[in-house]
Amino acid sequence: MAAHAGCMGCTSPTRELFACLLPEQRARLASSAVPHAYRAHESLFHEGTPALALHCVHAGAVKLFRRLYSGEEVVVGVRGAGDLVGLRGVLAGIPYATTAMTLGPATVCAIPGATLLALLRENAALAVRLLGRLALESRQAEDELVERAHCGVGQRTARFLVRWLAPADAAACAPRGEAAPALGREEMARLIGTTPESLSRTLHAFAREGLLALEARRIRVLDPVALRRRAE
Amino acid sequence: MAAHAGCMGCTSPTRELFACLLPEQRARLASSAVPHAYRAHESLFHEGTPALALHCVHAGAVKLFRRLYSGEEVVVGVRGAGDLVGLRGVLAGIPYATTAMTLGPATVCAIPGATLLALLRENAALAVRLLGRLALESRQAEDELVERAHCGVGQRTARFLVRWLAPADAAACAPRGEAAPALGREEMARLIGTTPESLSRTLHAFAREGLLALEARRIRVLDPVALRRRAE
DNA sequence: CGCTCCGTTGACGTAAGTCAAGAGATGTGG
DNA sequence: CCACATCTCTTGACTTACGTCAACGGAGCG
């Protein structure tokens, strides 16, 4: 158990989620949930493979994407500390629809699907909470769709930067304090749903307007208010 | 009960979903699930309002959309016979994120959220099935996102026509046999995520290639194979 | 007959992807 | 420490797919 102190850390932003467990159940969860420190660009699971585990992101960030026949990857979402990854597949008993890959160093707990389903059968409150999470997941996908459909690259970029660099709700979640990993242009572009070239132009346009400072690999926000307004 | 024969019809494509109910439970469902015949362009519920009921589409088609500040609507999905609408809001206890509106005449059952949640508490099997549906909903949104992100208007149009006009799985679901309602260009364009002008051009391009015949308000598929290939 | 509405078509504008070349970085071996 | 190779980023020129605007045409209807 002591060995899994880190995993109870895993349940830290997720603590509320598992707060409804009985001590015995919590122990069971702790003993089978295996926390793992990933390095950058490691994958948690692959599109199309059976959903064996639910992943709780403790620290770091994870991108979810599908690979098209053409080989290019379409990112459908990014998850950070406190988020669950792979919930849908586990709950519905269907294969993962996306590949999950860390964007930087990350700590992630893997909760075996069987364990989760067992807990879920015993504890209705947990079921309700997970349901809420699944609903959130569905909503996020929809939001993402609307955003891509309607917003231009500029707006999407601004929105991304706000979410990525701003510990907006830093007040609430302490572990989010960690600096977001510096991304390459290629990767950042994919997360936003554009190309490195277009991203570069957009970024420099923002810099010219005094919103950002571009230094080496680092992006510093100079005018958060204007940036947020740009994100609408 | 006899009055609700139509509603057990409502559970017809959905029959499998509610097959797990005990007779007593099924009776309870039947007595509170109210089937209603909608006319074209009536709304089932509105974005932002509390999710009071789960809607089962018995016949017809329903579009789900959000309205932007600008006033334009973004369609995030279309549901047909056998599909559930509004599941997410009811299960998660959050307001509807979209407005649901019939595309043509439609028969839809409204199951009060309270009734559903009560049944759900008693019947774990039902919970699991609904969960699967919610997972499906989440996946559909993701699919839609990938499609919009990657495919051009031509491909999306072809894909839409295949889904809309082809009783592809007509074998399985009999009630789907009904002709899809003829849509105006404006509406069809929105469903595809484009403009009436672009749609018109695309449609006529398809017609020139011999894939379609455009007669008055009706679109007839001349070469289903080629059309499907065009949809990838 | 003339109205309005919808669909069609053309001309044009624009955002963003593509291609290609250059400019910094970063790293490696001599 | 420099020379060289590699890689990422940036920039410019070009292309393309669509959206936008506007005019036109036909169908339905009073």
Side-chain angles (χ1 to χ4, degrees):
Chain A
M1 190 106 31
H4 288 159
C7 181
M8 280 295 98
C10 156
T11 52
S12 144
T14 323
R15 191 167 303 170
E16 197 213 348
L17 182 66
F18 290 115
C20 57
L21 291 183
L22 300 174
E24 179 272 326
Q25 293 171 328
R26 194 168 319 176
R28 195 136 44 93
L29 175 65
S31 72
S32 68
V34 185
H36 188 258
Y38 289 87
R39 301 187 312 149
H41 308 116
E42 284 192 276
S43 54
L44 276 49
F45 53 77
H46 289 274
E47 180 179 355
T49 63
L52 299 176
L54 170 66
H55 297 261
C56 306
V57 181
H58 170 216
V62 173
K63 71 172 171 179
L64 301 170
F65 65 91
R66 299 198 195 181
R67 199 168 293 279
L68 303 175
Y69 304 97
S70 60
E72 76 174 305
E73 65 181 50
V74 178
V75 176
V76 297
V78 176
R79 301 289 182 267
D83 290 333
L84 301 181
V85 178
L87 182 62
R88 191 204 320 169
V90 171
L91 287 189
I94 55 178
Y96 296 118
T98 61
T99 300
M101 182 175 284
T102 58
L103 288 169
T107 310
V108 180
C109 271
I111 300 177
T115 304
L116 186 77
L117 294 174
L119 284 174
L120 202 138
R121 263 190 291 275
E122 306 169 15
N123 192 315
L126 180 63
V128 171
R129 285 168 192 236
L130 286 180
L131 213 84
R133 291 290 188 128
L134 188 56
L136 183 70
E137 197 167 298
S138 154
R139 228 207 114 118
Q140 277 174 330
E142 220 172 80
D143 291 342
E144 198 72 33
L145 171 62
V146 173
E147 180 172 324
R148 293 257 176 118
H150 176 253
C151 309
V153 169
Q155 197 174 345
R156 294 210 307 273
T157 302
R159 212 169 278 205
F160 172 81
L161 290 174
V162 168
R163 283 192 299 229
W164 187 250
L165 301 174
D169 28 4
C173 70
R176 184 63 150 187
E178 7 141 7
L183 302 171
R185 288 287 184 272
E186 174 85 33
E187 187 139 58
M188 198 182 304
R190 283 202 219 290
L191 298 187
I192 294 171
T194 182
T195 59
E197 293 96 327
S198 288
L199 175 60
S200 182
R201 284 183 238 274
T202 312
L203 249 27
H204 283 266
F206 283 173
R208 237 173 287 125
E209 295 177 47
L211 304 186
L212 306 173
L214 297 171
E215 7 183 276
R217 279 211 133 208
R218 186 158 183 74
I219 298 174
R220 270 194 322 125
V221 178
L222 298 180
D223 189 343
V225 178
L227 186 64
R228 200 155 288 154
R229 186 167 51 241
R230 203 56 168 263
E232 206 116 321
Chain B
M1 190 100 38
H4 289 158
C7 181
M8 280 294 98
C10 156
T11 52
S12 144
T14 323
R15 192 166 303 171
E16 196 214 348
L17 182 65
F18 290 116
C20 57
L21 291 183
L22 300 173
E24 181 272 326
Q25 294 172 327
R26 195 170 315 179
R28 196 136 44 93
L29 175 65
S31 72
S32 69
V34 186
H36 187 259
Y38 290 87
R39 301 186 312 149
H41 310 115
E42 285 193 276
S43 55
L44 277 49
F45 53 77
H46 289 275
E47 179 179 356
T49 63
L52 300 176
L54 170 67
H55 297 260
C56 306
V57 182
H58 171 215
V62 174
K63 70 172 171 178
L64 301 170
F65 65 92
R66 299 197 195 181
R67 198 168 293 279
L68 302 175
Y69 304 97
S70 61
E72 76 174 304
E73 65 181 50
V74 179
V75 176
V76 298
V78 176
R79 302 289 182 267
D83 290 334
L84 302 181
V85 178
L87 181 62
R88 192 205 319 169
V90 172
L91 287 188
I94 56 177
Y96 296 118
T98 60
T99 300
M101 182 175 284
T102 57
L103 288 169
T107 310
V108 180
C109 271
I111 300 177
T115 303
L116 186 76
L117 293 173
L119 284 174
L120 201 138
R121 263 190 290 275
E122 307 168 14
N123 193 316
L126 179 64
V128 172
R129 285 168 193 234
L130 286 180
L131 213 85
R133 290 290 188 128
L134 187 56
L136 183 69
E137 198 167 298
S138 154
R139 226 206 116 115
Q140 276 173 332
E142 220 172 79
D143 291 343
E144 198 72 32
L145 171 62
V146 173
E147 180 171 325
R148 292 257 176 117
H150 177 254
C151 308
V153 169
Q155 198 174 345
R156 295 210 306 275
T157 302
R159 212 168 279 203
F160 170 80
L161 289 174
V162 167
R163 283 191 299 229
W164 188 250
L165 299 174
D169 27 4
C173 71
R176 185 64 152 185
E178 8 141 7
L183 301 171
R185 288 286 185 271
E186 173 84 34
E187 187 139 58
M188 198 182 305
R190 284 203 216 289
L191 298 187
I192 294 170
T194 183
T195 58
E197 293 95 329
S198 288
L199 175 60
S200 182
R201 284 183 237 275
T202 311
L203 249 27
H204 283 266
F206 283 174
R208 237 172 288 123
E209 294 178 48
L211 304 187
L212 306 174
L214 297 172
E215 10 181 272
R217 280 210 132 209
R218 186 157 184 75
I219 298 174
R220 269 193 323 126
V221 178
L222 297 180
D223 189 343
V225 178
L227 186 64
R228 199 154 287 154
R229 186 167 51 240
R230 202 55 169 261
E232 205 116 322

